[in-house]
Amino acid sequence: MTLTSCHRVFRGLALPALMAIALAVPASSLSAQTAAQAAPASPPAADAPASPLTELRSTIGHAAAGDPQKPSAPQVAAVHQGAPAGSTAGTQGVAQQPPSAQPANSTVPKSFTEKALDKVKQVAKSAGDIFNRVPCLPPKGGAKSFGALPHVANKLASGLPVVIVAFGSSSTQGYGSSGPEYTYPNRLAAQLRRQYPMADITVVNSGIGGEDAPEMMKRLQTAVIDRHPDLVIWQVGTNAVLRNLDPTETAKMVDDGVAKIQTAGSDVVLVDLQYSPRVIERPERANTMIKLLSHIAELHHVGIFPRFEVMRDWHERQSIPINDFVISDGLHMNDWGYACFAQLLGDDIILSVGQVKLGVNLPTNVLTYRPM
């Protein structure tokens, strides 16, 4: 037999054999091999610096933050619902039910009460997850109450919408949090809506990083007063300490701002400095600013939330490492810090509103926290 003849015989036998082998290989093996080849190689963990969110999870164990790389079930479902008719791309692993398999009552709309209850349960779960490993406990020492909030209480009692403006700098804006939903104004809004599920409550985040009293006073009218809020939570003073601003001049501006807010018909709560390495390394300036803000609150009979003392209690009395509530820049809070701050601030607001509704005067020397 010639060489050409042998080649033809071999080709005639080899082709069917190769096809048989190809058919015998499981499709899942090919898919797995293809996926392995397509997947990008993981970067070496030792050389890559950890992101703020990674550091945050390793310290606190945030169940609420979730994994940004994995879409939730509703997100996946939304992708499939938006796919063109007849498209099969991206549908692997998603259970597809025929119309006949759907529950008979799936199209029955929920009542307003049921929707409100579902919303309360959802918010309560997300708020509780952040405190799984490090609970948010009330300060072990007493603190002076910031008094009543008549405008907010009257609005809630009358069933009218409530508007709260969170006014401040970067810790109001939420620098250091892993997402907008974990800032203190959004955490506070979730807590108040959980406490008053039938109320229409809006919390406006009007924080701009790097500002203090001089910059804030320039936008007080447009960012705060023109919104006609029932309550203004004004976080101020930290940047004045860091920038070595004259504390007396800062206090004069805050005093003027509080007077204007009150004249416009809003309740006011001042929030003083945060207890963090970059602030406590300037103890004299920090203490002076805290005392001035407390004096302004007393002078105008408005509330003050002692954030500095609350955060110091976390560290000194509850033995929580500073790195568990302050990010690596030594100044701003992380998700847990914002969540616990919002929780305790919200408890104070709820207590004050409850006292006004009941017509009972708050004691002047005791502050009772009721964390979730």
Side-chain angles (χ1 to χ4, degrees):
M1 182 180 292
T2 64
L3 181 61
T4 304
S5 301
C6 291
H7 177 70
R8 290 175 178 172
V9 171
F10 175 76
R11 185 174 59 181
L13 293 174
L15 183 58
L18 291 174
M19 292 179 64
I21 292 172
L23 293 173
V25 175
S28 58
S29 299
L30 294 175
S31 300
Q33 182 179 4
T34 303
Q37 293 173 351
S42 299
D47 297 333
S51 66
L53 180 57
T54 303
E55 293 177 358
L56 191 59
R57 289 183 188 142
S58 64
T59 306
I60 307 299
H62 294 316
D67 189 346
Q69 303 300 326
K70 297 179 180 179
S72 62
Q75 290 174 325
V76 174
V79 171
H80 296 313
Q81 290 172 2
S87 173
T88 58
T91 58
Q92 293 181 4
V94 179
Q96 302 292 335
Q97 293 184 350
S100 59
Q102 299 295 334
N105 60 348
S106 62
T107 58
V108 178
K110 291 185 178 182
S111 67
F112 177 79
T113 303
E114 289 174 330
K115 289 180 180 179
L117 184 59
D118 288 345
K119 186 175 182 180
V120 169
K121 289 180 179 178
Q122 181 181 2
V123 171
K125 182 179 184 300
S126 66
D129 286 345
I130 196 85
F131 303 134
N132 276 345
R133 288 185 58 186
V134 182
C136 178
L137 302 177
K140 295 180 181 179
K144 188 174 181 180
S145 169
F146 64 49
L149 303 172
H151 293 90
V152 176
N154 290 333
K155 284 289 189 72
L156 289 172
S158 304
L160 298 174
V162 173
V163 176
I164 299 173
V165 171
F167 190 43
S169 56
S170 56
S171 60
T172 297
Q173 185 179 11
Y175 187 87
S177 66
S178 58
E181 63 269 35
Y182 303 122
T183 64
Y184 107 72
N186 280 340
R187 286 284 189 181
L188 176 63
Q191 181 186 2
L192 295 179
R193 290 165 187 158
R194 183 170 64 250
Q195 176 70 21
Y196 310 105
M198 300 303 175
D200 181 6
I201 299 174
T202 300
V203 179
V204 179
N205 189 332
S206 188
I208 296 180
E211 290 193 348
D212 211 272
E215 296 82 12
M216 294 179 195
M217 286 300 294
K218 292 178 181 178
R219 63 187 183 95
L220 179 68
Q221 184 68 39
T222 56
V224 178
I225 295 175
D226 288 351
R227 296 181 183 274
H228 306 288
D230 303 292
L231 170 63
V232 178
I233 303 172
W234 191 357
Q235 165 259 314
V236 65
T238 298
N239 286 328
V241 170
L242 298 180
R243 290 158 54 184
N244 294 322
L245 299 181
D246 184 352
T248 303
E249 290 299 318
T250 298
K252 289 180 180 178
M253 292 183 219
V254 175
D255 179 79
D256 183 45
V258 169
K260 290 181 178 179
I261 295 171
Q262 284 186 305
T263 301
S266 303
D267 297 327
V268 182
V269 172
L270 294 176
V271 176
D272 64 20
L273 287 56
Q274 62 258 49
Y275 180 87
S276 60
R278 287 179 57 188
V279 175
I280 60 181
E281 69 185 10
R282 303 166 182 254
E284 185 175 348
R285 284 186 170 275
N287 289 332
T288 298
M289 183 60 64
I290 291 170
K291 290 178 181 178
L292 287 172
L293 292 175
S294 179
H295 177 70
I296 293 170
E298 292 180 0
L299 182 65
H300 291 275
H301 304 287
V302 301
I304 185 163
F305 183 84
R307 180 172 57 156
F308 188 89
E309 290 301 322
V310 167
M311 294 177 69
R312 178 157 65 179
D313 187 275
W314 295 346
H315 180 58
E316 294 184 356
R317 297 183 180 178
Q318 299 183 37
S319 300
I320 301 175
I322 289 182
N323 289 339
D324 280 12
F325 54 84
V326 174
I327 64 174
S328 59
D329 70 354
L331 179 62
H332 299 94
M333 287 183 282
N334 59 22
D335 282 359
W336 187 92
Y338 285 124
C340 194
F341 163 47
Q343 178 71 42
L344 299 178
L345 175 61
D347 289 333
D348 224 0
I349 292 173
I350 292 168
L351 175 63
S352 298
V353 168
Q355 295 289 346
V356 172
K357 283 186 173 182
L358 294 174
V360 178
N361 292 325
L362 272 171
T364 58
N365 59 348
V366 177
L367 175 60
T368 302
Y369 288 107
R370 296 174 296 173
M372 181 179 66

